[in-house]
Each structure stands twice: as C-alpha cells, then as structure tokens.
C-alpha cells in the first residue's frame, strides 16, 4: 500500500479535476425517490453525504451543535488557554494526552494546532494522533485538525519536514502544474502527520505592498494569481487535505494589519469583482470546500464592520453573489478587529449570524461556546442558522473521511523527492 501511495503522488494535468474515491451511498438519501445520493454539491461532499450530515445534526442537542461549529486552538496543555502552573501540572512528554482530552471534551468539530505546541514532524504526528483518538466522532468522523502551513514565512512545522518556498516564489515560475505539485507534496506531508485541513492557500493578491501579505501572495496579477490558487486547491485535494482559501474578500489591496486594527477596503463591489475577488471566484468554481473570511471593512457593503461579522459580505457577497455553498471559516477570533471590539462570545455570535459556519481560534473557547448557546436559547441566533452551519461542518468531515481515507506513511515527510520539488519551485 505504501508503494502505491508514493506512486500516486504525480499530479493530474492542471485542467483536470483530482481523482477522488467513490462516495458510499447514504441510506437515508438513497431512500428518497427524488435525490441522487451520488450527485455532487459542488464543494466536496455528495448530496447523500450532505443528507447523512443532516440526519446526524438533527439528532444532536443544541450544545452538541454549538461545539460542531467551533475550531478552538490547541495549546498543548489541559486547558483552552493555560496558565503557566497548569502547563507545568498537565503537560506530558508530547503535550498530548491530557491536552487532547481537554480540547475535545465537548466534541468540537475541529481544532487549530498552535505553533507553540510544535517541535518536529514526529512530535506533531504523535500530538495529532492523540487529538484524533480523543476527538473523532460521531461515527468515527475525523476532526478537522488544521494548521498554518503555507510555506515560506508561514510554515509552522519545520524540523523534519520539507521547507517549501513561499507562494510568491512559486508564482514567479508561472507554472500552475508546479504549484499543484508543491501543494500535493505539502498536503501529503500534512496528511501523513494526521492533519485533515490546511489553512492555505492564500488567495490575496498583493497590489498594495502589504507587509502582512507580502510573499504569501502568488502574484500581483489577479488572473495569474487565480490560476495558482486553483492549482494549489487541487493539489491539496489530491493529497486528501481540505484546503481553505483566505482571506475573503482579499487582504492584498488594503493597507494595515488585521491582526491589530481594521483595514478598510475602499473599492466598490463591482471593482472587487474585477480584482480581489477573482481568485476566490475561480477557487469556488473549481470546488474549493472552505473559504476563510477576513477582518477587513468594506464600506460599500457594510461600513464599520469586519467582513467576518458582516452578513452583507459573508451571506450577500460570498454566498449569494459568488455562489459559495461550502464551509465559511472565520479568521482567528483572537485578532484585534473582532476580539478587541466584541470579546469571545459576541464575536462568535456575530460571525455565525453573518453566515460563517466555523469559528476559528476563540481566545477562550468555553466563553465563546457558552455565548453561542445563550444566543440560541434566547432566539437571537436562530436554531435553523446553527443547524445549517453544523450540517455543513459535519458534511465536510464526512467528505474528508472519504477524501483522506488513504494516509501516506511518515516516510513522505521531508522526503528526497519533496526536497527536489521544493528546490525546483524555488528556482
């Protein structure tokens, strides 16, 4: 099997869709005289898998539905945000066992592996395996275990892994097939370590010389950048990893750092459609399963409001205008424009009301979880809105179970063939 997996690393032609395992028929969908369970949804899962997700969510309590739509940070200790004394008491040799039980106590739909927990590829494999052992479910569905592993300046796992070049370096080759090969290699290494989701590729087009985007952008040309983003999305899917394109509606043409303050995008919606949104529209058309919404103000849509908490941006622009039906993930909830303005609970509630499905990296996941549950019980957050998001997240996990069923051996991590690919991409 290992030989077959390694042999299967050659990418398909850039215009082709990645080969995917045949989806099992959903009994619930198959019983419907009008639904074809194998029909695609356009963003990953089949109609049958979406129906299966709907049944699982229908059987959940409100508390369980809330935890499905949250992706808290994994700090490597037995707390969502540990104190030094808690760290000393609870961390084991890999920061895994007691920590995994803590972070998955509420059966979150996913978790984001913080860079503070990462030492080496082998240590990460042990850590992530511990998370899956504690947190997979219901019915053995894999957690959405994510990490920032873009390559270049944003590569969290370095020791023992291939050092991939930046998006800008890859973009300068002008070769989408090479971009797909790099994403496939990066995805294979992540999948071997147990990850199920990559917070990549960056779809921002750097036209404002934005230091935060910088080398993370493939190009300053919207069409060229879009081709590289689509190729990378396909490469990650080839590897069995859920890719997340970011940061909608685009961080590359604004001035400022959304980690600390709220950048303002002055373009009209029509201008955005011709510029910053081009790579996102291309990725959506190519079937990307997840999009990250950024903390960027767009006065033409909703003045004074971060895009990640704007219904006009998430529902109106991303879903209605661009036709995205997959999982919308917020950028980190610990960033200034949302955490500084709203705090843990309120930022999570506003993000879900806007149309997001997955809340990333709340500084205090328990406060955010309780706040969302209060909003549901009070009627402020309609239960139907929560059910819709939970169903999408569970459907994504069902899809990932199929997409990433074949996990490569650890021998692919830092392999010679990947080093050769990285060197070719680096020029």
């Amino acid at each position: 099997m290992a030989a077959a997996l390694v042999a299967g690393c050659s990418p398909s032609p850039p215009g082709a869709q990645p080969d995917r395992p045949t989806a099992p028929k959903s009994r619930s969908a198959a019983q419907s005289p009008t639904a074809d369970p194998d029909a695609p949804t356009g963003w990953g899962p089949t109609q049958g898998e979406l129906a299966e997700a709907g049944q699982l969510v229908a059987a959940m309590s409100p508390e369980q539905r809330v935890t499905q739509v949250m992706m808290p940070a994994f700090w490597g200790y037995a707390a969502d945000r540990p104190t030094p004394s808690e760290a000393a008491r609870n961390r084991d040799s890999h920061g895994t066992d007691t920590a995994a039980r803590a972070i998955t106590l509420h059966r979150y739909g996913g978790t984001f592996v913080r860079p503070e927990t990462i030492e080496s590829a082998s240590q990460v494999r042990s850590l992530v395996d511990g998370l899956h052992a504690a947190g997979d479910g219901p019915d053995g569905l894999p957690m959405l275990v994510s990490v920032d592993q873009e390559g270049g300046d944003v590569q969290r796992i370095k020791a023992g892994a291939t050092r991939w070049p930046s998006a800008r370096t890859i973009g300068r080759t002008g070769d989408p097939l090479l971009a797909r090969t790099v994403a496939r290699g990066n995805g294979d290494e992540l999948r071997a370590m147990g990850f199920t989701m990559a917070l990549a590729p960056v779809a921002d087009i750097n036209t404002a010389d934005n230091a935060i985007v910088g080398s993370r952008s493939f190009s300053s040309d919207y069409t060229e950048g879009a081709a590289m983003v689509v190729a990378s999305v396909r490469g990650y899917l080839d590897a069995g990893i859920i890719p997340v394109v970011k940061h909608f509606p685009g961080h590359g043409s604004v001035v400022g750092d959304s980690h600390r303050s709220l950048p303002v995008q002055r373009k009209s919606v029509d201008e955005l459609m011709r510029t910053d949104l081009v790579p996102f529209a291309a990725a959506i058309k190519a079937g990307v399963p997840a999009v990250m919404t950024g903390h960027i103000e767009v006065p033409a849509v909703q003045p004074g409001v971060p895009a990640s908490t704007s219904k006009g941006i998430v529902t109106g622009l991303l879903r209605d205008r661009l036709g995205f039906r997959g999982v919308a993930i917020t950028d980190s909830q610990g960033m200034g424009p949302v955490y500084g303005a709203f705090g843990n609970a309120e930022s999570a509630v506003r993000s879900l009301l806007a149309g997001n499905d997955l809340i990333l990296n709340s500084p205090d996941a328990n406060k955010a979880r309780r706040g969302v549950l209060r909003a549901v019980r009070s009627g402020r957050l309609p239960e139907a809105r929560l059910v819709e998001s939970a169903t999408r997240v569970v459907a994504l996990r069902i899809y990932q179970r199929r997409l990433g069923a074949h996990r490569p051996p650890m021998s692919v991590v830092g392999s010679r063939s990947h080093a050769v690919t990285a060197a070719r991409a680096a020029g």
Side-chain angles (χ1 to χ4, degrees), residues 297-346:
E297 178 188 353
V298 185
V301 177
Q302 195 168 356
V305 177
S308 57
T309 62
S310 167
K311 188 172 183 179
I313 294 291
V314 183
T315 299
L317 190 54
L318 177 60
R319 296 204 185 280
D320 296 343
R321 185 79 178 259
L322 295 185
F324 182 60
R325 297 292 176 263
V327 171
I329 305 173
T330 70
D331 204 345
S332 171
Q333 295 273 290
M335 293 164 67
V338 289
Y339 180 68
F342 310 123
N344 287 283
E346 184 65 14

Side-chain angles (χ1 to χ4, degrees), residues 14 29 39 54 60 71 93 99 113 135 145 185 193 198 213 227 271 361 371 379 404:
M60 292 179 181
M71 180 176 274
S93 59
V113 176
V145 184
M193 288 182 276
V213 176
E271 287 176 312
N361 192 25

